[in-house]
Amino acid sequence: MANVGLLFVGAVLFMNGLMLLGKVDSRAAAIFNLFVGGLQVVTPTYLIIAANGDPTRIMLASGIFLFGFTYLYVGIGLLMGLDTNGVGYYSLFVAIVALGFSYASFRLVKDQPFGVIWLYWAFLWFLFFLLLGLKIESLTPYVGWVTAIEGWVTGVIPAFLLLTGYWVPGNFSETAIALGAFAVLTFTALWFVLRHRGPRRPTQEYGAPGYPAGSHG
């Protein structure tokens, strides 16, 4: 069930990235954020009930609420024209918590690839804090591209591999290294390409952070 949610989180991240880049209308994106946010609240509720008190399964499922509430916050904020600083500072909270879930994925669950993916999301949510909380509008194109790319790398592709049985959760050090190298090279190169460009969209039209990896099983 969580893998299905991960697939659609990849879709909403891709759409939100395109919104920041001026390719998708903000109100249209808001509706999809509400759909995915609702799914990401129902999913962990079911998973926690089905965990039968297993602390590890409860811990993994609990992270989904962080992002389900974020998508709902984003969708409502876009439709109502709310100031972005609330979701911006909430993104800072999620970014910090994501570091803890990354540690748990590495040490407790022994799932190195998703430990790295948690770091992807910690980075993304910190960018959202800078853009939406501190309102550094010059970051808009960069955050848009990072969001869209992470939608595929941390959402759609892992979810599809998990759903088709080609990704069995486990200790894949090579995959983790490849994911880390891709992030460093791609996001660094992207920064140098975009650093002289100004914002294309106002911060009121914002995207949303990602999905809790580690709760994929």
Side-chain angles (χ1 to χ4, degrees):
M1 186 173 182
N3 296 336
V4 175
L6 182 60
L7 180 67
F8 285 98
V9 163
V12 77
L13 282 176
F14 179 62
M15 181 175 292
N16 287 340
L18 293 180
M19 178 183 63
L20 283 169
L21 295 171
K23 305 298 183 181
V24 174
D25 178 73
S26 61
R27 294 178 66 86
I31 301 300
F32 195 58
N33 275 274
L34 294 177
F35 289 158
V36 177
L39 175 64
Q40 297 305 86
V41 169
V42 172
T43 296
T45 301
Y46 168 80
L47 293 175
I48 289 173
I49 293 172
N52 294 320
D54 185 319
T56 300
R57 293 173 64 187
I58 292 173
M59 181 272 295
L60 294 176
S62 67
I64 303 177
F65 283 115
L66 292 170
F67 310 107
F69 293 149
T70 301
Y71 294 125
L72 293 175
Y73 200 162
V74 167
I76 294 171
L78 287 170
L79 291 175
M80 296 184 64
L82 301 178
D83 192 283
T84 64
N85 61 0
V87 73
Y89 278 91
Y90 178 70
S91 296
L92 175 62
F93 167 77
V94 176
I96 294 170
V97 174
L99 296 176
F101 275 93
S102 176
Y103 176 83
S105 293
F106 280 118
R107 297 300 299 271
L108 301 180
V109 186
K110 307 298 183 182
D111 194 334
Q112 294 184 9
F114 272 95
V116 174
I117 287 174
W118 270 108
L119 295 177
Y120 269 79
W121 291 326
F123 174 63
L124 177 60
W125 285 308
F126 183 72
L127 289 178
F128 270 90
F129 162 66
L130 297 178
L131 176 63
L132 307 177
L134 301 184
K135 301 184 185 298
I136 305 177
E137 296 187 6
S138 60
L139 290 175
T140 302
Y142 182 73
V143 178
W145 278 106
V146 172
T147 304
I149 292 169
E150 288 204 17
W152 290 93
V153 176
T154 69
V156 176
I157 295 173
F160 182 79
L161 293 176
L162 285 162
L163 289 168
T164 56
Y166 287 101
W167 182 316
V168 179
N171 186 7
F172 304 142
S173 58
E174 295 84 0
T175 303
I177 293 171
L179 283 168
F182 177 84
V184 172
L185 293 175
T186 301
F187 297 148
T188 300
L190 188 63
W191 171 257
F192 284 107
V193 170
L194 299 176
R195 63 179 178 171
H196 296 302
R197 298 184 184 180
R200 296 183 180 180
R201 304 283 282 181
T203 57
Q204 283 76 10
E205 300 184 357
Y206 51 88
Y211 180 90
S215 50
H216 55 283

